[in-house]
Amino acid sequence: MTRLQDQQDKDDEEFQLWAKKKRDKKGYFCRLLPYNKPYAIIPFGLVISGLAGCVFPVFGIFWAKILFVMQPDVLNPDKRVDMDEVWKYAFIMLGLGFIAMILTFLNRSIFGILGESMTKGMRFKLYSSLLWKHVGWYDNKEHAPGQLTSAIATEAQTLNGASTEAVAVTLESSLGLIVAVVIAFTFYW
């Protein structure tokens, strides 16, 4: 009977550990959001990231136009390439490249500020929790000063890369893909 009870207790502990891990994973982004300060630049970062993703599909439109303007006419070989059209599309593409450069700079700067703020907050919280530990806690080999210092240095930075930078790249790529598909369907029909 005790064996059965021990097995049930072990299963209950495993289930509770599994449920805790599942719960922790589910609220991961929401738990990190308070550390992303200042809150006022988050919407600007998201909008700029979306705009940066939309620039390159629009760039493709003008790339196609300039190729068609420069293409020789097979039926009319005497027709010359209209250089005014070529220059017009070339300057539009240059302008789009400049806009993409500015948007990418702003995007990386805003999410860099948010990431550094989050890293600072996480390191402060981790360090303050270490200060409140009982002295005997540090006697364990797993809690050696070198390992704790390494955790302070690396764990917060890992969370930074997983939250702020990943959001910017994911949003930029997703909106770029959506705009590209919309443009493709528009030009196909």
Side-chain angles (χ1 to χ4, degrees):
M1 190 71 171
T2 58
R3 246 186 188 176
L4 182 62
Q5 187 66 31
D6 289 342
Q7 183 63 33
Q8 286 176 345
D9 289 343
K10 184 178 176 184
D11 290 344
D12 283 345
E13 287 176 13
E14 287 178 5
F15 176 75
Q16 288 185 5
L17 183 63
W18 174 82
K20 183 178 186 260
K21 285 182 181 178
K22 190 80 166 166
R23 186 181 65 241
D24 289 347
K25 282 185 179 181
K26 197 170 190 178
Y28 158 68
F29 189 74
C30 294
R31 286 193 328 240
L32 291 178
L33 197 57
Y35 295 104
N36 287 324
K37 295 178 184 173
Y39 300 121
I41 65 173
I42 293 173
F44 293 116
L46 294 175
V47 168
I48 288 172
S49 182
L51 290 174
C54 296
V55 168
F56 290 108
V58 173
F59 188 83
I61 294 172
F62 293 105
W63 185 261
K65 287 187 183 259
I66 199 168
L67 288 177
F68 279 114
V69 169
M70 293 176 60
Q71 179 179 355
D73 193 357
V74 177
L75 298 175
N76 190 1
D78 295 333
K79 183 180 174 189
R80 295 179 51 91
V81 174
D82 187 8
M83 288 307 289
D84 290 336
E85 286 287 312
V86 171
W87 282 108
K88 179 177 87 170
Y89 291 133
F91 281 122
I92 290 173
M93 288 171 46
L94 182 68
L96 283 172
F98 185 70
I99 290 170
M101 179 187 72
I102 290 172
L103 289 175
T104 302
F105 172 75
L106 290 173
N107 182 15
R108 300 297 185 248
S109 298
I110 288 173
F111 282 103
I113 290 168
L114 290 171
E116 290 301 319
S117 172
M118 189 187 73
T119 302
K120 179 183 173 189
M122 292 299 294
R123 284 181 179 162
F124 179 78
K125 185 175 180 180
L126 183 61
Y127 186 69
S128 63
S129 71
L130 288 176
L131 290 176
W132 285 100
K133 296 287 183 191
H134 186 270
V135 176
W137 186 79
Y138 295 100
D139 291 339
N140 191 346
K141 287 183 181 181
E142 294 176 0
H143 306 137
Q147 291 178 345
L148 296 175
T149 305
S150 175
I152 289 175
T154 58
E155 298 298 326
Q157 195 66 30
T158 303
L159 287 174
N160 174 19
S163 63
T164 56
E165 295 169 6
V167 168
V169 172
T170 302
L171 182 66
E172 186 175 328
S173 301
S174 300
L175 280 176
L177 182 64
I178 291 169
V179 169
V181 168
V182 167
I183 289 172
F185 279 126
T186 303
F187 277 93
Y188 183 72
W189 284 324

